[in-house]
Amino acid sequence: MLVLAVLTAFMAYHARNVEMSYDFANVVSPNDPDMQYFTRFKETFGEDGNVLVVGMQDNSIYKLQKFKQLQQLTQDLSQVEGVKSVIALPNLVQVVKDTEARKFITRNIFEPFPTSQPELDSLLQVVSNQNFYEGQIINPKTGATLLAITVEPAYLNSVRRVEVMDNISGLTEQFTKDTKVQLHYAGLPYVRAVMTTKVASEMKLFLVLALLVTAVTLFIFFRSFFAVFIPMLVISVVVVWVLGIISLFGFKISLLTGLIPSIIVVIGIPNTTYLLARYHFDYRRHGNKILALSRVISKIGLVNLVNNTTTAIGFIVFTFTHIAILYEFGMVAGINIFVTFFISMILVPAAFSYLPPPTERQLRHLDAKPLNKLLEFFDFIVHRKRPLVYFFLAVILGLSFWGIYKVKTVSYMVDDLPEESSVNADLAFFEQHFNGVMPLEIIVDTGIKQGVMRLPNLRKLAELEDFLHTQPILSAPISVAGLVKTATQAFYEGDPNSYRLPDNTERNFIFSYLARQNDEANQKLLRAFVDSTGQRARISLKVADVGSRQLDTLINKRIKPQLREIYGGEGVTETDEGNTMRFIRDDSGAETTVNLTGTTLLFIKGNQYLINNLRSSLLLAFVLVTLIIALLFKSFRVVAISLIPNMIPLVIAGGLMGLFNIPLKPSTALIFSIALGIAIDDSIHFLAKYRTELLANGFNVSKAITNSLIEAGTSMIYTSLILFFGFVIFAFSEFGGTKALGILMSVSLLIALFTNLIILPTLLMSFDSGKYIHEPDALIEGYEEYYDEDSDAELDLAQLRLKLDQEEDNKPENGKVQRV
């Protein structure tokens, strides 16, 4: 216990350094070609998901007083530490022609700041003539406008993000208070900040709820303060270990790893429940506290180890994926399930060895008369109504398979947030006025240095831009083609009709002006859309959060065919690999490559990648659980019969997802392997008792099942109820995925209880002959899960022999011993 205390203090020391994750979960393998390209894209053009947008739709903002307040807000936001730049209506620039220097210069439209409403209206008209800004900063049809706040990459994925977001929100809230103009927020920095805050608060909430629910359940079961306090102590120690291990491994608390402390509480309590139940059972039988505690270790230790192993398998299989967030989740949860086993095996017997033995009142739970009535009813169904059981099972499975057929695989960038969340309401505002804010990028590699600025390539870029502009779920695209169009407009003194690419005659004049752009600001703007070699051009877009299915349709049914039309054609060989398209001219070998990339596309692609990995994880969990049961019982028949009741809850869970329109996504796909690992524990308990009862009752299957239901059923019901109420607390989450995980997991485990108490014995009645060959290599032969009178006989005989030896030393000379 002292060593355990020292190790726990060590874990607590490291737990204080645990950090929150401020980035979206990366579920695409780093070896994936699209992921590798996205990494190179960020190295060349920078982050695509570091823009926070603040939008508004209020005509009063175009009045002089409030416009001045908007200008002040823009300036104040620019001064916030961690803010790289702010683009808003009051600081927009106009490109103008400097005839003397024969170059273009930029001029702030609102400098000097207007002093009257007519001046402001005149300058606003200048803004409306700048076609480049249409659909970007202002929507001329609805009057909506926005501020685009770019956050420094160094602040983006660190704890400093919170401070930056708080400072920004402080200024914007004060603006709303002063002007009464309602603001809307969106962009990945904002979404990430909201989700991180909610993850931190929910982790604390669920941990408290899990401890409360399990404490109440334990008290109802055992009616003893120490029977509640000691398990709570065990779980509290394990939670410290969870946080310490997360820190030691260099992981961060994410949406998934944030659930582990609560899950460990829920899963860990059955360990102590089995230990305490066995302790009470043995103590009432012979009244010897130390003997009862020794049997807790010797008899229940292996049972709990096997149960923890099967439970851990449901999590450990995630470590075989190439997905960082799943690997971390599986690794931390799997390790701490075994930590829970060892800590409970140390603390529970040791602590109760110092405490008074249980009272008669505290032992009443062993009778469990109401539960016995329920179990007798199950016994009646198993023995008398087996055809009815199979009929209802067939109906339920039929409905479930129909539901599974309806399951959809859909993911959204913010689908874990509730529909009534302000984030979703604000997102709808930007989708209505600006067609979305989620980043999407298209990179065109011309194949030759300085190829981007060649007029034929610019025309193809402009043609692609024009097409993208027609798509209702895409924002107005920005690229070097737009910059060149703006230069042409400036060359003709700002005429809106001249917003176009130059023709062959104009090209030399306009490009000669562009060649003299040496100031840092213009070079930085150009580098945002053309790489340093002039070979690759970037088209930057924003897309509505329409989900993976619509986005897939947009990419494969609309954008890619348009790319073929623009860059393909006769004499061009085309290859299409994922999100990369190559067009090679057969006569010259010149190659143009077009890549679709961006945070949104990678996030959505990760959904299918994740589903494929989770299918493999479920299959691996199934194989490993099968091997453990085979090692325990060394019987193919037992393996087959035990797996069926535990696959049924997974099928029903899948059916419920389809019937209630719950999509298959990262959070909901997790439940299947986890539920399998936990649910199989009930089968092992029942089959272990069933094997014992077969031997005790002359291989009478019917009698063995009746006794097994009555004796094993009670503990199965108690532990399953603890698991049910423990997981159902996640249904109160604000995250849709966590809520679905909690509901589906608790329902699956409750169904698993009934399948193991009804379907499993029904299958045994139908297909088990009762013939039992002793297998000395089977692990199940090495322990008795329940009370074994032979143990008492051996101990009593040893004590009797010791007494006789003592009497032998003091026997009368005639050699006779008087026995009583």
Side-chain angles (χ1 to χ4, degrees):
M1 290 175 71
L2 181 61
V3 171
L4 179 60
V6 171
L7 291 174
T8 303
F10 173 78
M11 289 296 179
Y13 175 78
H14 286 280
R16 64 191 178 88
N17 298 322
V18 72
E19 297 179 3
M20 299 295 300
S21 173
Y22 295 91
D23 197 2
F24 267 123
N26 182 17
V27 297
V28 181
S29 168
N31 298 322
D32 182 85
D34 290 330
M35 188 64 197
Q36 291 176 341
Y37 185 84
F38 182 54
T39 302
R40 294 195 298 271
F41 162 82
K42 290 194 291 185
E43 291 172 355
T44 303
F45 297 104
E47 288 280 350
D48 69 332
N50 61 338
V51 178
L52 164 66
V53 289
V54 181
M56 62 198 82
Q57 185 191 22
D58 193 321
N59 290 333
S60 67
I61 203 68
Y62 302 110
K63 301 301 180 183
L64 186 60
Q65 178 59 34
K66 290 189 179 180
F67 193 82
K68 187 175 182 179
Q69 290 172 299
L70 179 61
Q71 183 202 36
Q72 187 62 49
L73 174 64
T74 304
Q75 292 174 350
D76 292 342
L77 289 172
S78 301
Q79 300 303 314
V80 172
E81 183 182 358
V83 171
K84 185 177 181 181
S85 64
V86 179
I87 301 175
L89 191 56
N91 68 357
L92 292 183
V93 298
Q94 178 185 13
V95 179
V96 295
K97 180 174 65 172
D98 185 343
T99 307
E100 292 184 6
R102 298 182 62 82
K103 69 177 183 178
F104 296 113
I105 60 173
T106 57
R107 184 176 65 198
N108 194 309
I109 296 174
F110 294 95
E111 284 185 7
F113 194 80
T115 58
S116 65
Q117 188 63 42
E119 283 184 45
L120 176 60
D121 292 339
S122 176
L123 293 175
L124 288 172
Q125 183 59 45
V126 173
V127 173
S128 66
N129 291 336
Q130 307 303 307
N131 302 55
F132 183 79
Y133 294 127
E134 185 178 339
Q136 300 290 345
I137 301 299
I138 188 169
N139 184 329
K141 295 180 181 178
T142 64
T145 185
L146 59 78
L147 297 88
I149 306 167
T150 304
V151 182
E152 289 279 4
Y155 289 78
L156 201 59
N157 299 322
S158 71
V159 69
R160 292 182 293 177
R161 175 205 295 271
V162 178
E163 184 180 353
V164 175
M165 296 303 300
D166 288 343
N167 291 335
I168 291 173
S169 61
L171 293 171
T172 54
E173 287 170 8
Q174 185 62 45
F175 174 81
T176 298
K177 185 178 179 181
D178 294 339
T179 62
K180 310 302 180 188
V181 174
Q182 183 182 2
L183 299 180
H184 303 271
Y185 304 85
L188 294 187
Y190 175 69
V191 172
R192 291 169 180 172
V194 171
M195 294 184 73
T196 301
T197 303
K198 289 185 180 295
V199 166
S201 61
E202 286 202 351
M203 184 180 76
K204 298 172 185 174
L205 172 65
F206 289 146
L207 183 57
V208 171
L209 284 177
L211 289 170
L212 182 62
V213 167
T214 51
V216 170
T217 309
L218 284 171
F219 184 78
I220 293 173
F221 186 25
F222 292 106
R223 301 296 177 89
S224 167
F225 169 78
F226 288 110
V228 175
F229 175 75
I230 301 302
M232 290 297 103
L233 177 63
V234 170
I235 294 303
S236 300
V237 170
V238 175
V239 169
V240 172
W241 279 66
V242 170
L243 298 176
I245 288 174
I246 290 175
S247 178
L248 283 171
F249 281 19
F251 301 154
K252 294 182 179 181
I253 294 178
S254 63
L255 187 59
L256 279 182
T257 53
L259 298 176
I260 294 178
S262 306
I263 290 176
I264 290 296
V265 170
V266 175
I267 294 176
I269 286 297
N271 278 280
T272 56
T273 302
Y274 282 123
L275 294 174
L276 290 175
R278 177 61 196 241
Y279 168 50
H280 285 186
F281 182 85
D282 266 341
Y283 177 78
R284 188 170 72 167
R285 198 169 186 92
H286 50 65
N288 188 319
K289 183 180 73 172
I290 300 302
L291 179 62
L293 289 172
S294 70
R295 290 220 177 102
V296 164
I297 298 171
S298 62
K299 302 299 182 183
I300 299 298
L302 185 57
V303 180
N304 274 0
L305 180 59
V306 172
N307 290 342
N308 279 266
T309 301
T310 56
T311 301
I313 283 173
F315 293 92
I316 291 175
V317 290
F318 298 136
T319 63
F320 293 93
T321 68
H322 299 288
I323 302 173
I325 188 173
L326 283 184
Y327 175 85
E328 294 173 8
F329 178 69
M331 177 66 72
V332 175
I335 290 174
N336 282 284
I337 286 171
F338 287 110
V339 168
T340 305
F341 165 74
F342 287 110
I343 291 177
S344 61
M345 290 301 297
I346 292 169
L347 277 184
V348 172
F352 277 94
S353 69
Y354 290 105
L355 296 172
T359 64
E360 188 59 36
R361 175 176 170 274
Q362 295 165 357
L363 298 175
R364 288 176 189 167
H365 69 87
L366 295 172
D367 298 327
K369 292 180 181 179
L371 288 183
N372 284 339
K373 293 292 183 182
L374 177 64
L375 293 170
E376 288 171 4
F377 174 69
F378 290 160
D379 186 58
F380 169 77
I381 292 175
V382 169
H383 281 84
R384 304 292 180 88
K385 303 292 181 181
R386 287 202 305 278
L388 198 61
V389 170
Y390 290 132
F391 171 76
F392 279 111
L393 178 60
V395 171
I396 292 171
L397 288 179
L399 288 172
S400 298
F401 283 116
W402 179 57
I404 291 173
Y405 177 75
K406 297 175 65 177
V407 172
K408 297 178 181 178
T409 305
V410 182
S411 63
Y412 296 83
M413 291 291 283
V414 294
D415 67 342
D416 270 331
L417 292 174
E419 292 183 6
E420 63 275 11
S421 168
S422 61
V423 174
N424 283 323
D426 287 349
L427 194 61
F429 169 85
F430 288 102
E431 290 177 355
Q432 177 185 352
H433 297 286
F434 298 97
N435 292 1
V437 292
M438 298 302 175
L440 178 66
E441 306 287 342
I442 300 176
I443 309 299
V444 178
D445 187 339
T446 61
I448 55 174
K449 291 183 178 181
Q450 304 304 323
V452 169
M453 298 306 290
R454 293 188 177 186
L455 203 53
N457 289 331
L458 284 173
R459 286 172 180 163
K460 290 181 179 180
L461 280 177
E463 184 180 352
L464 178 57
E465 271 195 11
D466 292 340
F467 166 77
L468 295 172
H469 214 302
T470 64
Q471 301 305 304
I473 63 173
L474 292 176
S475 70
I478 307 176
S479 76
V480 66
L483 296 177
V484 174
K485 289 179 181 180
T486 301
T488 306
Q489 182 180 1
F491 188 79
Y492 288 101
E493 307 299 337
D495 178 13
N497 295 322
S498 297
Y499 183 76
R500 56 177 174 78
L501 291 178
D503 57 29
N504 289 326
T505 305
E506 300 164 324
R507 178 188 180 281
N508 292 334
F509 293 102
I510 294 173
F511 278 28
S512 67
Y513 273 67
L514 287 172
R516 293 183 174 88
Q517 303 301 113
N518 296 321
D519 56 292
E520 184 180 345
N522 287 326
Q523 288 296 321
K524 187 180 292 185
L525 178 63
L526 185 63
R527 287 291 167 262
F529 298 100
V530 182
D531 74 335
S532 58
T533 65
Q535 180 173 316
R536 289 178 290 171
R538 169 192 184 187
I539 301 177
S540 186
L541 299 149
K542 298 292 186 289
V543 62
D545 192 16
V546 293
S548 54
R549 287 183 172 236
Q550 285 196 53
L551 187 61
D552 185 67
T553 300
L554 172 70
I555 299 295
N556 293 302
K557 303 294 184 183
R558 298 175 191 170
I559 294 180
K560 284 189 174 181
Q562 187 66 25
L563 289 172
R564 293 187 186 99
E565 186 175 325
I566 295 172
Y567 292 99
E570 225 176 292
V572 176
T573 302
E574 173 207 329
T575 60
D576 186 351
E577 302 171 1
N579 292 317
T580 301
M581 299 183 72
R582 290 183 175 84
F583 303 91
I584 305 173
R585 294 193 65 83
D586 299 336
D587 54 356
S588 63
E591 179 179 325
T592 300
T593 306
V594 182
N595 285 87
L596 291 91
T597 187
T599 300
T600 304
L601 204 59
L602 267 294
F603 184 88
I604 297 301
K605 179 179 181 176
N607 183 65
Q608 188 58 47
Y609 186 85
L610 183 65
I611 298 304
N612 293 336
N613 274 273
L614 289 174
R615 286 172 182 162
S616 303
S617 298
L618 177 59
L619 179 61
L620 181 59
F622 181 82
V623 171
L624 292 176
V625 166
T626 302
L627 288 175
I628 287 178
I629 296 176
L631 287 172
L632 277 174
F633 295 96
K634 284 294 184 73
S635 168
F636 174 79
R637 183 186 300 169
V638 171
V639 170
I641 290 176
S642 63
L643 287 176
I644 291 173
N646 294 290
M647 295 304 295
I648 293 171
L650 306 187
V651 173
I652 295 175
L656 291 174
M657 289 174 62
L659 294 173
F660 290 95
N661 199 28
I662 301 173
L664 188 64
K665 54 185 178 180
S667 47
T668 53
L670 287 172
I671 71 160
F672 295 100
S673 57
I674 297 175
L676 176 63
I678 297 174
I680 201 72
D681 294 349
D682 281 343
S683 295
I684 292 173
H685 275 284
F686 186 89
L687 289 170
K689 182 60 184 174
Y690 172 69
R691 180 65 64 90
T692 304
E693 290 298 327
L694 275 178
L695 290 172
N697 293 281
F699 303 101
N700 186 318
V701 173
S702 176
K703 194 169 183 179
I705 286 175
T706 298
N707 292 344
S708 300
L709 275 172
I710 298 301
E711 295 190 33
T714 302
S715 60
M716 290 167 62
I717 289 175
Y718 276 119
T719 53
S720 294
L721 287 177
I722 290 173
L723 290 168
F724 172 81
F725 288 114
F727 276 105
V728 85
I729 63 174
F730 295 121
F732 297 98
S733 171
E734 288 191 60
F735 294 106
T738 306
K739 182 182 294 187
L741 182 146
I743 294 173
L744 291 172
M745 182 67 76
S746 55
V747 169
S748 298
L749 294 177
L750 193 62
I751 293 171
L753 171 66
F754 288 105
T755 56
N756 279 297
L757 288 177
I758 297 175
I759 305 298
L760 177 58
T762 299
L763 291 171
L764 290 170
M765 285 288 295
S766 299
F767 301 105
D768 192 22
S769 62
K771 294 178 180 178
Y772 167 48
I773 301 173
H774 184 81
E775 291 282 357
D777 294 332
L779 293 178
I780 200 71
E781 307 292 0
Y783 74 92
E784 294 289 345
E785 182 183 359
Y786 294 88
Y787 181 77
D788 180 14
E789 291 186 357
D790 291 342
S791 299
D792 276 344
E794 292 174 4
L795 289 171
D796 291 341
L797 184 61
Q799 291 173 357
L800 179 62
R801 187 177 298 114
L802 179 61
K803 279 188 175 184
L804 288 174
D805 289 344
Q806 291 172 342
E807 290 179 0
E808 191 71 25
D809 292 338
N810 299 311
K811 64 181 180 179
E813 290 183 1
N814 59 11
K816 293 183 179 179
V817 177
Q818 184 179 4
R819 286 182 172 82
V820 179

